[in-house]
């Protein structure tokens, strides 16, 4: 009955007169780290400034750091521009970014270069990519996954956050003598592997909260940490691509030559600061949530930013990586 | 020691009729009613009342009479005992005190009995800040939402309390979160305090005798929740006569009956309420379904039941056994089915596509209590209790299909159910001792085992085809925790001087769960300064801990929330509160109270997972964001009470904020940060047969989060709770028409009007940004932004009939 008599009315709402400066940057090793700049539009207003109008400065412990406009950066249509940072930083350095533009509130964000990562160990295994319960297939496709189990030599803490990227490099092994030369350019190139969201379904259909973002052209997984004998540990999955034979010639029982392709992997682990974790998680929650968040009956809408006066995220990470390893 | 040495000298010098009346009031639980013309501040030189009472084991009425005779001997004051009130008159005038006696004679009537209690001004005389004492009759003073007076709605009107979403029984006290109120029903904790999704509280006012509501200055005998204590006591059955009441209203009805089992020694009191919304919805939907042009059916049912029962047995005049029981349950069900038909070889095959949602929730609690009075000064209360709250959600979906070109039939159904239960089994013992007129000691121990069963889920996939007959695939998942909580407290109500009282206490709590143990030491202190005969000032400092957490993905008071324990990674919540105030009895029957508070809350938790009706339990500790809160403000109460009119006005100015590092980089307003709140209550008795009640509520709008910025297609929120809903205001009216039947019973017709001027108060707002929609006037595509508020509660008139017999 109450639904029948409910009514809606236009309401006045003008919380922001102007847009806000949007900054997004993850400073890692100081090599071509991107800082993206944009200007948001108030929902009931008009765009007051363009990203080009925003002047930004970056300081490391009070000393200005040179920023170079990345003219090759192409935004996805919203006018975003980017600057490059090409200066290595040391752990403990405090980075302050400030942005200003006429008619907009100033924006400022601070981050501290995290401590270096301690040693970590990686083990590898192959798992089925589907789950079986009592003999019946519940969900999934028939394939296998490479699981990298990472254990970091650091005491477990719920408040420490780590990310991981998996790089792979296709290699070839030739047994015997090939008649035709190999096109070397097809091999030895580094690329980021796609991270598999696994297990995406449990037996009761609850989604695991794994956050995957794009970082420096590759997928970066913000891992869910496991307490393994008091140490920090996590798993990351990629499609399993076992060593396989691409070409071979047999003379009777004798193998004259054979070509094998396989991948070598490198695991790159990042130490992620709180502000980056909260920002990424808020984006994840927002993207995966439905209407009730808008209805005012849900807990606070998760909208974290560490850019005071503006929007976005500015964070610094440290990373460490393994050697190239052939897990086959 | 120094205090007790000094105090008697002082007391001897200042003993008056009034001070001795207060001793009687506090020791024997009676109130004095008198006209302001009666002089009670005259010196009293007789035997001190404390000496008369101390160690005296006579029956209550005999002892009371002895005290009164001694007290008023040689004065021109006469007294008359009327139940628990002592009415004083001057011998020469032979006239009862103006304005009040009539109320006592009709104390089952709808007039505010609390005003009588207020005459001796217990608020001014108690040591605690933030305390409101309410008698049963205040619940029946004229207004009844959906035909039942509502206890929580009364508390929502008080200053310092935010009501949250309209119509729901949310209670956000001094910036609390709503799940941090300790509800005690006869001393037993109650976890789910509402029916009907929050529209009606679980407390049946037909059996409630009194309620003490603490917002600050918590005595150390209470603990376990952060923000408030609601201590509700039900009425024991009448030991000498049978009587009861029957009421019927818009959505529910009730029956209450009490009387002696063994006259003078054993009594019972029982009350039952049941809604009949389902009785209305079944025929309504049957008619609706018959009008549908396709073979589809809808079914919706809601039912609420609760039962209060108690048995009281006087073992001896100084020994009482009582057994109290409460059971409340709600059921809501929705079903939709579409009939499917297929023909093959001339044979008709049928099945259904559809779904069902069933939700059941409720409480069961009971206790066995023994009260032993060793003397007038020494009481022992012990209680064994059990309380349980449960929620059972079941979803069923069925899909039936048949082949079109070859014969096959598949009938598949999946049922998913989730059960969430919390059981508490406990024992507590409280000792109450008044060793002298300068000390009132209370000490006690409580042992509770909490059995948390937050999620026990199962799913059954049933497949029925030509090849597989009723194949079932089941799956299950459960989470369980058992935690032990022990608490020990001691407090002393100290009379330091004739103008200064203190309540000093300490509470220690141990909470253990799977090898993880928390210890909590909670100091409590309250001071009262009697600045003048009609003016007092108070201060208090309290610390409270809460070891249980309510995990909910929404703010609605619906049962899709789960109680969980403090674990190694989820710490107990903690609050610290300072409060102070001044309390005045002004001339011309005016009463003024002013209070202020500052409160901090640590280890607050908010759900931060993906929004869903039921939070995922498999990883709940990581779905909680830890933060802190603070609240501060001031409350003003002004009342004017005469024989026929009672007007109270409450105003609150407050700020409530949260800081969750993971949500936002600085403090932000809380959802119920209502800057101003004003309530006006008025009742007037026109005659013995007609009285009316009026309440006007106003508060600054609740807050919600809406997007304020966008880049491309992505929306951003400038800060949490950045939008304030329009201010809320509402007028309620109540009218009682009374009549005495030929058999001497009282019948009352009640007309209540909720939201009398039909203010459509927004419950939430909705922002939508439509990209590239066509404007039918111009034919051009454009962006369209809408921002609308939604309101659902119009004027609601309600009729109710009550018969008291």
């Amino acid at each position: 009955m109450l639904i029948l008599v409910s009514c809606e009315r236009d309401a006045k709402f003008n919380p922001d007169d102007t847009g806000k400066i949007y900054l997004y940057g993850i400073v890692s090793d100081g090599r071509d780290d991107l800082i993206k700049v944009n200007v948001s539009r108030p929902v009931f207003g008009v765009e007051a400034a363009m990203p080009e109008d925003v002047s930004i400065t970056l300081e490391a412990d009070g000393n200005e750091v040179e920023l170079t406009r990345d003219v090759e950066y192409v935004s996805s249509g919203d006018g975003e521009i980017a600057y490059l940072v090409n200066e290595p930083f040391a752990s403990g350095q405090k980075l302050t970014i400030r942005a200003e533009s006429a008619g907009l509130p100033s924006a400022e964000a601070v981050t501290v270069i995290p401590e270096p990562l301690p040693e970590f160990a990686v083990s590898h295994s192959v798992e089925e990519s589907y789950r079986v319960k009592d003999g019946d297939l519940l969900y999934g496709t028939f394939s296998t996954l490479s699981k990298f189990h990472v254990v970091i030599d650091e005491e477990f803490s719920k408040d420490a956050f780590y990310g991981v990227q998996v790089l792979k490099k296709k290699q070839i092994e030739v047994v015997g003598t090939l008649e035709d030369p190999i096109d070397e350019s097809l091999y030895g190139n580094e690329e980021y592997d796609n991270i598999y969201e696994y297990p995406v379904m449990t037996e009761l259909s609850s989604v695991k909260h794994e956050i995957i973002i794009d970082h420096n052209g590759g997928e970066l997984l913000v891992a869910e940490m496991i307490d393994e004998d008091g140490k920090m540990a996590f798993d990351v999955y990629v499609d399993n691509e076992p060593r396989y034979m691409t070409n071979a010639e047999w003379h009777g029982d004798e193998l004259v030559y054979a070509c094998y392709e396989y991948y070598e992997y490198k695991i790159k682990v990042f130490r992620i600061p709180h502000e980056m974790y909260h920002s990424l998680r808020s984006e994840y929650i927002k993207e995966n949530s439905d209407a009730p968040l808008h209805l005012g009956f849900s807990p606070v809408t998760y909208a974290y930013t560490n850019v005071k006066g503006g929007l976005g995220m500015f964070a610094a990470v440290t990373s460490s990586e393994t050697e190239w390893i052939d897990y086959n | 020691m120094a205090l007790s040495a000094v105090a008697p000298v002082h007391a001897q010098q200042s003993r008056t009729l009034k001070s001795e009346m207060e001793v009687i009031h506090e020791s024997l639980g009676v109130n004095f009613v008198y006209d302001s013309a009666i002089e009670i501040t005259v010196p009293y030189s007789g035997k001190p009342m404390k000496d008369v009472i101390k160690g005296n084991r006579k029956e209550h009425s005999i002892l009371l009479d002895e005290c009164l005779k001694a007290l008023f001997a040689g004065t021109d004051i006469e007294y008359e005992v009327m139940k628990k009130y002592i009415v004083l008159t001057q011998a020469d005038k032979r006239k009862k005190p103006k304005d009040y006696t009539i109320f006592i004679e009709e104390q089952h009537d709808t007039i505010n009995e609390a005003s009588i209690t207020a005459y001796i001004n217990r608020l001014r005389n108690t040591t605690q800040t933030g305390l409101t004492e309410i008698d049963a009759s205040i619940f029946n003073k004229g207004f009844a939402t959906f035909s039942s007076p509502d206890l929580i709605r009364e508390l929502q009107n008080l200053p310092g309390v935010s009501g949250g979403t309209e119509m729901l029984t949310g209670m956000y006290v001094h910036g609390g979160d709503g799940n941090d109120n300790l509800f005690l029903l006869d001393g037993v904790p109650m976890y789910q305090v509402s029916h009907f999704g929050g529209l009606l509280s679980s407390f049946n006012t037909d059996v409630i005798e009194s309620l003490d509501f603490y917002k600050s200055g918590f005595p150390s005998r209470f603990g376990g929740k952060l923000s408030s204590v609601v201590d509700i006591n039900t009425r024991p059955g009448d030991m000498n006569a049978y009587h009861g009441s029957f009421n019927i209203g818009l959505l529910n009805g009730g029956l209450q009956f009490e009387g002696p089992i063994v006259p003078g020694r054993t009594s019972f009191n029982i009350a039952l309420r049941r809604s009949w919304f389902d009785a209305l919805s079944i025929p309504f939907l049957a008619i609706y379904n018959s009008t549908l042009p396709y073979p589809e059916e809808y079914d919706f049912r809601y039912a609420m039941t609760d039962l209060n029962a108690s048995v009281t047995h006087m073992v001896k005049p100084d020994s009482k056994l009582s057994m109290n029981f409460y059971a409340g349950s709600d059921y809501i069900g929705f079903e939709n089915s579409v009939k499917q038909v297929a023909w093959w070889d001339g044979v008709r095959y049928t099945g259904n596509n559809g779904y069902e949602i069933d939700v059941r929730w409720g409480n069961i609690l009971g206790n066995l209590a023994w009260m032993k009075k060793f003397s007038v000064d020494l009481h022992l209360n012990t209680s064994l209790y059990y309380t349980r709250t449960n929620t059972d959600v079941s979803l069923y979906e069925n899909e039936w299909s048949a082949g079109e070109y070859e014969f096959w039939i598949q009938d598949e159904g999946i049922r998913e159910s989730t059960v969430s239960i919390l059981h508490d089994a406990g024992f507590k013992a409280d000792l109450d001792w008044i060793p002298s007129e300068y000390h009132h000691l209370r000490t006690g121990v409580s042992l509770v085992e909490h059995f948390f069963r937050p999620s026990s889920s199962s799913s059954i996939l049933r497949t029925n085809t030509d090849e597989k007959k009723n194949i079932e695939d089941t799956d299950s998942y459960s989470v369980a925790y058992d935690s032990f909580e022990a608490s020990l407290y001691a407090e002393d109500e100290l009379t330091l001087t004739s103008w200064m009282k203190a309540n000093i206490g300490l509470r220690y709590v141990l909470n253990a769960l799977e090898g993880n143990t928390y210890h909590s030491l909670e100091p409590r202190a309250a001071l009262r300064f009697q600045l003048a005969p009609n003016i007092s000032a108070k201060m208090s400092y309290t610390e409270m801990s809460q070891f249980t957490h309510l995990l909910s993905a929404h703010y609605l008071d619906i049962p899709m929330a789960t109680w969980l324990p403090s674990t190694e990674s989820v710490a107990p919540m903690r609050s610290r509160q300072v409060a102070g105030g001044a309390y005045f009895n002004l001339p011309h029957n005016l009463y003024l109270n002013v209070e202020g508070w500052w409160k901090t809350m640590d280890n607050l938790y908010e759900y931060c997972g993906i929004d869903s009706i039921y939070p995922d339990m498999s990883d709940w500790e990581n779905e909680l964001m830890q933060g802190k809160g603070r609240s501060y403000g001031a409350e003003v109460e002004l009342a004017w009470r005469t024989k026929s009119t009672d007007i109270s006005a409450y105003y609150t100015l407050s700020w409530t904020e949260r800081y969750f590092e993971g949500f936002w980089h600085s403090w932000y307003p809380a959802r119920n940060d209502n800057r101003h709140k004003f309530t006006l209550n008025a009742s007037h008795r026109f005659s013995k047969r007609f009285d009316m009640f009026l309440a006007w509520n106003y508060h600054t709008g609740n807050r919600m989060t809406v997007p304020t910025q966008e880049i491309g297609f992505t929306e951003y929120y400038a800060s949490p709770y950045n939008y304030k809903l329009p201010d809320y205001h509402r007028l309620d009216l109540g009218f009682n028409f009374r009549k005495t039947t030929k058999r001497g019973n009282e019948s009352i017709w009640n007309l209540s009007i909720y939201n009398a001027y039909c203010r459509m108060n927004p419950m939430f707002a909705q922002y939508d940004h439509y990209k590239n929609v066509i404007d039918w006037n111009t034919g051009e595509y454009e962006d369209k932004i809408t921002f609308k508020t939604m309101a659902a509660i119009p004027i609601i008139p309600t009729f109710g009939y009550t018969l008291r017999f």
Side-chain angles (χ1 to χ4, degrees):
Chain A
M1 191 176 76
L2 294 179
I3 292 168
L4 296 176
V5 299
S6 65
C7 69
E8 60 178 36
R9 287 182 183 160
D10 289 331
K12 287 182 181 173
F13 179 47
N14 189 22
D16 294 322
D17 295 330
T18 67
K20 286 180 182 289
I21 295 171
Y22 170 87
L23 300 171
Y24 184 93
I26 302 171
V27 178
S28 51
D29 51 9
R31 286 178 301 178
D32 290 339
D33 289 330
L34 277 179
I35 296 177
K36 301 171 187 173
V37 180
N38 211 332
V39 174
S40 67
R41 190 175 72 96
V43 293
F44 291 115
V46 292
E47 214 149 18
M50 300 297 287
E52 287 82 1
D53 302 330
V54 178
S55 65
I56 65 168
T57 56
L58 177 66
E59 287 178 1
D61 284 341
N63 301 313
E64 188 161 345
V65 177
E66 186 182 349
L67 296 171
T68 312
R69 172 80 183 270
D70 183 359
V71 292
E72 293 180 3
Y73 178 76
V74 180
S75 76
S76 57
D78 52 22
E80 188 172 81
I81 61 171
Y83 292 86
L84 289 167
V85 183
N86 269 306
E87 184 167 320
F89 301 107
S91 291
Q93 274 192 295
K94 180 180 165 187
L95 303 185
T96 306
I97 190 166
R98 295 188 183 89
E100 291 180 342
S101 180
L104 297 180
S106 301
E108 180 180 304
V110 176
T111 190
V112 175
I113 304 290
E115 290 295 306
L117 276 156
E119 288 185 0
F120 61 89
V122 180
S123 57
H124 174 262
S125 59
V126 175
E127 288 193 0
E128 302 292 331
S129 66
Y130 57 86
R131 290 203 155 207
V132 171
K133 185 76 180 173
D134 299 335
D136 287 337
L137 179 68
L138 286 182
Y139 178 82
T141 55
F142 295 94
S143 65
T144 54
L145 295 174
S146 269
K147 171 184 164 183
F148 297 100
H149 180 62
V150 180
V151 181
I152 302 170
D153 189 14
E154 198 160 73
E155 192 178 337
F156 180 80
S157 165
K158 204 183 158 212
D159 296 325
F161 308 105
Y162 296 87
V164 61
Q165 286 186 316
V166 179
L167 291 97
K168 66 180 181 181
K169 191 162 69 174
K170 187 189 277 187
Q171 300 289 34
I172 189 166
E173 182 186 351
V174 178
V175 178
T177 306
L178 280 173
E179 291 179 356
D180 299 319
I182 298 168
D183 182 357
E184 296 283 345
S185 67
L186 297 174
Y187 302 97
N189 298 316
E190 290 182 20
E191 59 179 308
Y192 288 101
D193 208 347
N194 292 324
I195 291 169
Y196 197 94
E197 292 180 50
Y198 175 86
V200 292
M201 305 286 278
T202 70
E203 290 86 344
L204 289 172
S205 307
S206 61
V207 178
K208 290 278 278 184
H209 298 157
E210 295 199 324
I211 305 167
I212 297 174
I213 60 164
D214 185 73
H215 177 61
N216 284 352
E219 287 186 340
L220 185 150
L221 168 74
V222 179
E224 291 209 347
M225 304 309 295
I226 307 162
D227 183 352
E228 186 168 297
D229 300 329
K231 298 274 178 67
M232 305 290 285
F234 62 85
D235 296 326
V236 59
Y237 295 83
V238 296
D239 274 330
N240 185 36
E241 297 184 85
R243 182 188 186 90
Y244 67 103
M245 186 186 284
T246 60
N247 195 6
E249 186 172 325
W250 298 79
H251 287 177
D253 291 340
E254 185 187 354
L255 182 67
V256 178
Y257 71 85
C259 281
Y260 296 94
E261 281 186 0
Y262 65 97
Y263 280 94
E264 289 182 338
Y265 290 90
K266 179 187 273 188
I267 308 300
K268 192 171 182 180
V269 177
F270 296 80
R271 186 193 292 282
I272 289 177
H274 284 205
E275 61 268 25
M276 180 172 163
Y277 176 79
H278 292 318
S279 177
L280 297 178
R281 190 168 163 86
S282 73
E283 286 295 317
Y284 174 83
I285 297 292
K286 198 167 75 172
E287 286 169 11
N288 289 278
S289 292
D290 300 322
L293 276 179
H294 294 275
L295 299 183
F297 293 142
S298 296
V300 58
T301 303
Y302 203 17
Y304 184 83
T305 177
N306 69 328
V307 181
K308 293 185 178 175
L311 301 168
M313 174 192 72
F314 179 63
V317 297
T318 47
S319 63
S320 180
E321 59 190 36
T322 62
E323 298 293 319
W324 289 103
I325 301 170
D326 172 15
Y327 288 101
N328 291 289
Chain B
M1 289 299 290
L3 288 173
S4 59
V6 172
V9 176
H10 182 89
Q12 232 172 12
Q13 290 168 342
S14 63
R15 194 171 290 128
T16 62
L17 282 182
K18 182 170 181 291
S19 68
E20 298 304 288
M21 284 162 63
E22 287 182 356
V23 173
I24 295 172
H25 158 68
E26 291 189 355
S27 303
L28 302 180
V30 293
N31 292 294
F32 289 89
V33 179
Y34 52 93
D35 194 281
S36 56
I38 297 178
E39 184 54 65
I40 57 169
T41 54
V42 295
Y44 170 71
S45 56
K47 189 178 180 183
M49 284 300 116
K50 70 175 180 62
D51 295 338
V52 178
I53 296 167
K54 189 178 177 184
N56 198 321
R57 300 184 66 177
K58 289 177 184 166
E59 202 268 324
H60 181 276
S61 60
I62 297 170
L63 176 59
L64 177 63
D65 194 49
E66 192 175 304
C67 289
L68 296 173
K69 273 182 182 160
L71 182 61
F72 297 114
T75 70
D76 63 346
I77 298 173
E78 294 185 347
Y79 63 87
E80 184 181 353
V81 180
M82 302 178 74
K83 296 183 180 174
K84 58 182 177 179
Y85 299 97
I86 315 299
V87 182
L88 307 185
T89 52
Q90 279 183 302
D92 55 340
K93 294 184 179 173
R94 304 296 300 163
K95 183 179 151 192
K96 286 183 179 175
K98 193 171 67 178
D99 304 344
Y100 293 97
T101 53
I102 189 166
F103 300 150
I104 298 167
E105 287 162 0
E106 300 175 0
Q107 63 179 295
H108 286 293
D109 213 320
T110 57
I111 296 299
N112 183 356
E113 191 180 350
S115 62
I116 303 166
T117 310
Y119 198 64
I120 194 105
N121 202 346
R122 294 190 63 189
L123 186 60
R124 187 169 51 79
N125 288 339
T126 54
T127 313
Q128 268 71 36
T129 58
L131 169 63
T132 304
E133 297 172 316
I134 304 176
D135 277 342
S137 57
I138 203 165
F139 305 126
N140 299 312
K141 64 187 175 185
F143 182 74
T145 313
F146 297 135
S147 76
S148 291
D150 197 297
L151 182 150
I152 293 180
R153 227 170 284 287
E154 289 292 337
L155 300 180
Q156 284 178 333
N157 284 342
L158 295 175
V161 182
S162 290
T165 306
E166 181 172 22
M167 286 294 278
L168 308 186
T169 48
M171 232 177 76
Y172 305 87
V173 182
H174 283 185
D177 273 342
N179 54 41
D180 46 9
N181 305 306
L182 176 64
F183 285 92
L184 295 170
L185 185 63
D186 293 316
V188 184
M190 189 182 225
Y191 288 92
Q192 259 180 60
V193 296
S194 67
H195 290 296
F196 215 159
L199 293 181
L200 190 66
S201 84
S202 301
F203 305 103
N204 186 344
T205 54
D206 286 343
V207 291
I208 292 174
E209 181 173 55
S210 65
L211 176 156
D212 288 347
F213 175 49
Y214 297 86
K215 295 177 287 189
S216 61
F218 308 106
S220 62
R221 57 186 179 275
F222 298 114
K225 293 288 174 73
L226 286 197
S227 289
S228 81
V229 175
V230 185
D231 186 18
I232 301 159
N233 290 301
T234 58
R235 192 178 65 247
D238 193 318
M239 292 278 183
N240 300 307
Y242 294 100
H243 50 88
S245 66
F246 162 77
N247 63 73
I248 186 167
L250 183 69
L251 290 181
N252 63 283
L255 183 66
Q256 180 266 329
F257 191 57
E258 63 185 293
I261 298 172
V262 178
R265 293 203 61 182
T266 310
S267 69
F268 71 93
N269 192 356
I270 188 165
L272 178 73
R273 292 190 300 177
R274 171 65 159 90
S275 67
W276 45 68
F277 185 82
D278 47 347
L280 302 174
S281 67
I282 290 169
F284 176 81
L285 283 170
I287 296 167
Y288 175 76
N289 289 332
S290 67
T291 64
L292 294 175
Y294 35 84
E296 184 170 10
E297 286 191 355
Y298 291 91
D299 189 19
F300 175 76
R301 293 172 191 221
Y302 170 79
M304 166 282 278
T305 313
D306 63 27
L307 171 72
N308 288 79
S310 69
V311 175
T312 308
H313 175 64
M314 297 299 296
V315 182
K316 291 180 180 175
D318 57 1
S319 174
K320 184 173 80 175
L321 265 178
S322 61
M323 202 161 60
N324 299 285
F325 176 77
Y326 169 86
S329 71
D330 286 61
Y331 164 76
I332 192 163
F334 182 77
E335 186 179 340
N336 169 250
S337 66
V338 182
K339 188 169 275 186
Q340 306 292 311
V341 179
W343 291 87
W344 190 259
D345 285 345
V347 180
R348 185 171 182 263
Y349 298 89
T350 61
N352 282 306
N353 282 352
Y355 60 93
E356 290 174 33
I357 303 167
D358 290 318
V359 186
R360 295 171 194 275
W361 71 98
N363 287 297
I364 289 180
L365 57 92
N367 73 344
L368 178 62
W370 177 53
M371 196 277 281
K372 171 70 178 170
K373 190 188 287 187
F374 297 105
S375 71
V376 170
D377 305 323
L378 185 62
H379 303 177
L380 174 69
N381 289 294
T382 57
S383 172
L384 268 173
Y385 70 87
Y386 170 79
T387 182
R388 187 190 84 168
T389 177
N390 68 289
T391 301
D392 184 347
V393 181
S394 175
L395 309 171
Y396 178 73
E397 194 166 0
N398 198 77
E399 190 169 326
W400 187 93
S401 53
E404 196 172 343
Y405 302 107
E406 57 181 297
F407 178 74
W408 59 264
I409 286 175
Q410 177 160 311
D411 187 9
E412 195 170 74
I414 183 161
R415 181 176 293 282
E416 290 187 333
S417 60
T418 302
V419 180
S420 169
I421 306 176
L422 167 60
H423 309 262
D424 283 359
F427 166 78
K428 60 181 183 178
D430 304 279
L431 194 65
D432 191 309
W433 182 35
I434 306 176
S436 73
E437 66 182 290
Y438 309 107
H439 296 276
H440 185 167
L441 293 166
R442 291 184 179 94
T443 184
V445 63
S446 166
L447 309 168
V448 191
E449 183 78 10
H450 300 284
F451 302 93
F452 294 91
R453 300 292 179 267
S455 180
S456 173
S457 304
S458 62
S459 62
I460 302 171
L461 177 66
R462 178 187 53 77
T463 307
N464 196 7
T465 65
D466 303 332
E467 294 155 3
K468 296 179 180 178
K469 297 293 182 193
N470 283 321
I471 302 298
E472 286 195 352
D473 183 7
T474 60
D475 199 356
S476 64
Y477 169 81
S478 65
V479 182
Y481 302 93
D482 295 345
S483 79
F484 173 70
E485 194 173 312
S487 53
L488 189 67
Y489 74 87
E491 65 177 83
D492 188 6
E493 184 92 15
L494 288 153
T495 303
L496 301 171
T497 68
S498 63
W499 54 272
M500 187 173 173
K501 266 188 164 184
N503 185 301
I504 309 294
L506 189 65
R507 185 179 183 86
Y508 164 74
V509 188
L510 176 148
N511 185 275
L513 172 77
E514 295 168 0
N516 182 54
T517 304
Y518 286 106
H519 302 273
S520 170
L521 209 52
E522 301 166 15
R524 316 280 175 85
L527 282 170
R528 192 206 76 184
F529 308 93
Q530 193 69 47
L531 304 177
N534 290 322
I535 303 172
S536 66
K538 298 182 197 176
M539 289 177 65
S540 69
Y541 174 77
T542 51
E543 293 190 18
M544 301 278 270
S545 294
Q546 182 170 337
F547 297 89
T548 52
H549 309 271
L550 188 67
L551 180 65
S552 174
H554 48 74
Y555 282 123
L556 286 175
D557 192 12
I558 56 175
M560 310 295 185
T562 301
W563 287 101
L564 288 156
S566 291
T567 64
E568 190 174 358
S569 58
V570 179
M573 297 187 275
R574 183 93 175 176
S575 72
R576 294 169 180 85
Q577 187 169 198
V578 179
Y583 310 83
F584 306 86
N585 277 10
L586 302 174
H588 309 294
N589 298 325
L590 281 167
Y591 304 86
L592 174 67
N593 303 317
V594 181
E595 279 190 8
W597 81 91
W598 173 276
K599 178 179 168 187
T600 62
M601 292 160 277
D602 292 311
N603 300 330
L604 299 182
Y605 290 91
E606 287 255 23
Y607 177 71
C608 65
I610 292 172
D611 66 330
S612 59
I613 292 295
Y614 221 117
D616 174 21
M617 281 295 135
S618 63
D619 196 23
W620 68 272
E621 286 167 284
N622 288 323
E623 306 276 282
L624 292 176
M625 183 73 74
Q626 189 187 57
K628 54 188 178 181
R630 64 187 179 198
S631 177
Y632 48 96
E635 307 163 0
V636 181
E637 298 181 43
L638 180 65
W640 181 61
R641 297 186 178 109
T642 67
K643 177 182 175 182
S644 56
T645 307
D646 186 336
I647 299 174
S648 309
Y650 307 131
Y651 171 70
T652 309
L653 174 67
S654 66
W655 286 260
T656 300
E657 296 171 312
R658 294 286 184 269
Y659 178 71
F660 282 70
E661 188 207 343
F663 286 143
W664 195 243
H665 50 63
S666 56
W667 288 91
Y668 58 86
R671 180 173 176 267
N672 296 299
D673 179 34
N674 307 127
R675 183 76 63 250
H676 306 280
K677 182 185 176 197
F678 180 78
T679 305
L680 178 70
N681 287 325
S683 61
H684 182 72
R685 187 181 183 89
F686 292 90
S687 70
K688 281 189 172 182
R689 298 187 61 179
F690 176 61
D691 54 80
M692 71 170 287
F693 170 79
L694 171 155
W696 188 69
N697 291 278
Y698 165 88
H699 65 75
T700 313
N702 293 334
R703 290 187 162 269
M704 59 178 290
T705 310
V706 295
T708 56
Q709 301 281 336
E710 59 181 17
I711 298 175
F713 289 93
T714 309
E715 294 165 349
Y716 292 90
Y717 304 85
S719 66
Y721 295 119
N722 54 347
Y723 176 66
K724 181 177 74 62
L725 285 164
D727 292 348
Y728 178 97
H729 52 91
R730 186 189 88 224
L731 175 70
D732 299 335
L733 297 172
F735 306 91
N736 281 324
F737 304 90
R738 302 160 186 287
K739 193 179 172 186
T740 304
T741 64
K742 289 176 184 172
R743 296 184 176 183
N745 300 323
E746 183 185 26
S747 70
I748 306 168
W749 280 98
N750 173 269
L751 167 63
S752 292
I753 304 173
Y754 182 90
N755 195 7
Y757 55 82
C758 198
R759 154 85 175 173
M760 296 304 282
N761 285 296
M763 299 173 82
F764 58 88
Q766 179 83 46
Y767 162 84
D768 283 308
H769 191 164
Y770 304 100
K771 304 271 184 179
N772 285 325
V773 292
I774 190 165
D775 183 333
W776 294 104
N777 294 322
T778 62
E780 292 181 357
Y781 287 87
E782 61 180 16
D783 286 359
K784 186 182 175 190
I785 296 171
T786 62
F787 188 71
K788 293 177 184 297
T789 57
M790 310 290 187
I793 313 296
I795 180 172
I796 303 177
T798 311
F799 289 99
Y801 174 75
T802 302
L803 179 69
R804 292 197 175 115
F805 53 88

